[in-house]
Amino acid sequence: MHIITVCLGNICRSPAAEAVLTRALDEAGIEGVTVSSAGTADYHVGERPHPSSTAEGESRGYAFTTRGAQFAVGDFDGGDLVLAMDSGNERDLLALARTPEDQAKVVRLGAFASDAGDGVRDVPDPWGAEREAFVAMYDQIEDAVAGLVRALQEDRVGEVVAAQRAPR
Ligand code: 4NP
């Protein structure tokens, strides 16, 4: 299984989600799941993740090795789950999707969060914001990733994706 985390620029949120998910899978002993990240925009292709994102992430022990990449429609072929950080990312991904099968891979990360029962929250865009926004971003991502890991362990990912999609 391959999971792609997606935000707008691929320098703040999606590299953070990639790093958090990679370590959480490792700690949970889940094998056979790989993770990458991408942005819907091409603004930061080839760039290292944003210093505010890596600073907070490294303080939590995460490692950052990737460079900015833009999500391409062919990425649906290699991905089984495409995790959008916010509803704008989700809308852009659904617009790119070629088939119902592509669409069915797209879900907001917040669908796995502990507060998802109150409605799925976006991971807000922290670009240009103060350090506290990056702290809150990691807190939110870590919570949702823990939910995603549990859903993987309990084979409930498809159910969560379908439930988020249902009201459309
Ligand atoms: P990200 O944050 O989508 O979490 O990587 C952003 C990074 C760059 C821009 C917007 C959001 N930008 O407009 O360049």
Side-chain angles (χ1 to χ4, degrees):
M1 180 181 198
H2 184 65
I3 300 176
I4 309 172
T5 63
V6 178
C7 60
L8 178 63
N10 191 214
I11 53 169
C12 298
R13 291 165 291 174
S14 59
E18 177 182 8
V20 172
L21 179 55
T22 299
R23 193 174 85 191
L25 289 166
D26 187 47
E27 286 176 355
I30 297 176
E31 290 177 0
V33 181
T34 52
V35 189
S36 64
S37 66
T40 55
D42 65 358
Y43 310 145
H44 300 283
V45 168
E47 291 179 26
R48 303 277 305 128
H50 192 282
S52 297
S53 197
T54 52
E56 179 58 24
E58 283 165 0
S59 80
R60 297 180 187 220
Y62 298 113
F64 297 87
T65 55
T66 61
R67 290 196 176 261
Q70 186 177 20
F71 188 89
V73 66
D75 292 338
F76 280 115
D77 297 329
D80 301 289
L81 189 64
V82 182
L83 289 173
M85 296 300 117
D86 67 29
S87 24
N89 312 143
E90 183 185 30
R91 190 182 54 237
D92 292 342
L93 288 163
L94 290 173
L96 270 180
R98 301 156 297 189
T99 60
E101 288 73 27
D102 285 353
Q103 284 190 9
K105 296 176 181 181
V106 179
V107 67
R108 266 184 293 160
L109 176 64
F112 298 94
S114 57
D115 62 3
D118 305 328
V120 175
R121 265 197 308 148
D122 286 346
V123 181
D125 179 353
W127 197 57
E130 300 294 320
R131 179 72 183 261
E132 301 88 76
F134 288 84
V135 173
M137 176 187 85
Y138 274 95
D139 288 345
Q140 199 182 348
I141 288 173
E142 285 177 343
D143 172 78
V145 162
L148 171 57
V149 167
R150 273 194 301 279
L152 284 164
Q153 288 168 325
E154 295 165 6
D155 204 13
R156 280 191 298 105
V157 171
E159 197 182 296
V160 175
V161 175
Q164 196 212 234
R165 199 46 39 79
R168 269 165 213 288

Coordinates of all heavy atoms in Angstrom, one line a residue, residues 13 24-25 28 59 64 69 76 104 117 128 134-135 156 160 165-166:
R13 N 2.7 21.4 5.5 CA 1.8 20.4 6.1 C 2.1 19.0 5.6 O 2.2 18.1 6.4 CB 0.3 20.7 5.8 CG -0.1 22.0 6.6 CD -1.4 22.5 6.0 NE -1.3 23.0 4.7 CZ -2.3 23.4 3.9 NH1 -3.5 23.3 4.3 NH2 -2.1 23.9 2.7
A24 N 5.1 6.8 12.7 CA 4.0 6.1 13.4 C 3.8 4.7 12.8 O 3.6 3.7 13.6 CB 2.7 6.9 13.2
L25 N 4.0 4.5 11.5 CA 3.8 3.2 10.9 C 5.0 2.3 11.4 O 4.8 1.1 11.8 CB 3.9 3.3 9.4 CG 2.7 3.9 8.7 CD1 3.0 4.2 7.2 CD2 1.5 3.0 8.8
A28 N 4.4 1.3 15.0 CA 3.3 0.4 15.1 C 3.7 -1.0 14.5 O 2.9 -2.0 14.6 CB 2.0 0.9 14.4
S59 N 12.2 19.0 16.5 CA 12.1 19.1 18.0 C 11.3 17.9 18.5 O 11.4 17.5 19.6 CB 11.6 20.4 18.5 OG 10.2 20.4 18.4
F64 N 13.4 14.8 8.0 CA 12.9 15.3 6.7 C 14.0 15.1 5.6 O 15.1 15.6 5.8 CB 12.6 16.8 6.9 CG 11.5 17.0 7.9 CD1 11.8 17.2 9.2 CD2 10.2 17.0 7.5 CE1 10.8 17.3 10.2 CE2 9.2 17.2 8.4 CZ 9.5 17.3 9.8
A69 N 7.4 18.5 -4.5 CA 7.0 17.9 -5.7 C 5.5 18.2 -5.9 O 4.8 18.4 -5.0 CB 7.1 16.3 -5.7
F76 N -2.1 9.0 -9.0 CA -3.2 8.2 -8.5 C -3.0 6.7 -8.8 O -3.4 5.8 -8.1 CB -4.5 8.6 -9.3 CG -5.2 9.8 -8.7 CD1 -5.3 10.9 -9.4 CD2 -5.7 9.7 -7.4 CE1 -6.0 12.0 -8.9 CE2 -6.4 10.9 -6.9 CZ -6.5 12.0 -7.6
A104 N -12.1 7.8 -5.1 CA -12.3 7.0 -3.9 C -11.0 6.9 -3.1 O -11.1 6.5 -1.9 CB -12.8 5.6 -4.3
G117 N -15.9 13.0 14.7 CA -17.3 12.8 14.9 C -18.1 14.1 14.9 O -19.3 14.2 14.6
G128 N 3.5 31.4 6.4 CA 3.6 32.8 6.8 C 3.1 33.0 8.3 O 3.2 34.1 8.8
F134 N 2.6 26.2 13.7 CA 3.3 25.0 13.4 C 3.2 23.9 14.5 O 3.1 22.7 14.3 CB 4.7 25.2 12.9 CG 4.8 25.9 11.6 CD1 4.7 27.3 11.5 CD2 5.0 25.2 10.4 CE1 4.7 27.9 10.2 CE2 5.0 25.8 9.2 CZ 4.9 27.2 9.1
V135 N 3.2 24.5 15.7 CA 3.0 23.6 16.9 C 1.6 23.0 16.8 O 1.4 21.7 17.0 CB 3.2 24.4 18.2 CG1 2.8 23.5 19.4 CG2 4.6 24.9 18.3
R156 N -10.1 -0.6 8.7 CA -11.3 0.3 8.6 C -11.1 1.5 7.7 O -12.0 2.4 7.7 CB -11.7 0.8 10.0 CG -12.4 -0.1 10.9 CD -13.0 0.6 12.2 NE -11.9 1.1 13.0 CZ -11.5 2.4 13.0 NH1 -12.2 3.3 12.4 NH2 -10.5 2.8 13.8
V160 N -13.9 4.6 6.7 CA -13.7 6.0 7.0 C -13.8 6.9 5.8 O -14.5 7.9 5.8 CB -12.4 6.2 7.8 CG1 -12.2 7.7 8.0 CG2 -12.4 5.5 9.1
R165 N -17.1 10.7 2.4 CA -17.6 11.0 1.1 C -19.2 11.0 1.0 O -19.8 11.7 0.2 CB -17.1 9.9 0.2 CG -17.0 10.0 -1.3 CD -16.5 11.3 -1.9 NE -15.4 12.0 -1.3 CZ -14.1 11.6 -1.4 NH1 -13.8 10.6 -2.1 NH2 -13.2 12.3 -0.8
A166 N -19.8 10.3 2.0 CA -21.2 10.0 1.9 C -22.1 11.3 1.7 O -23.0 11.3 0.9 CB -21.7 9.2 3.1

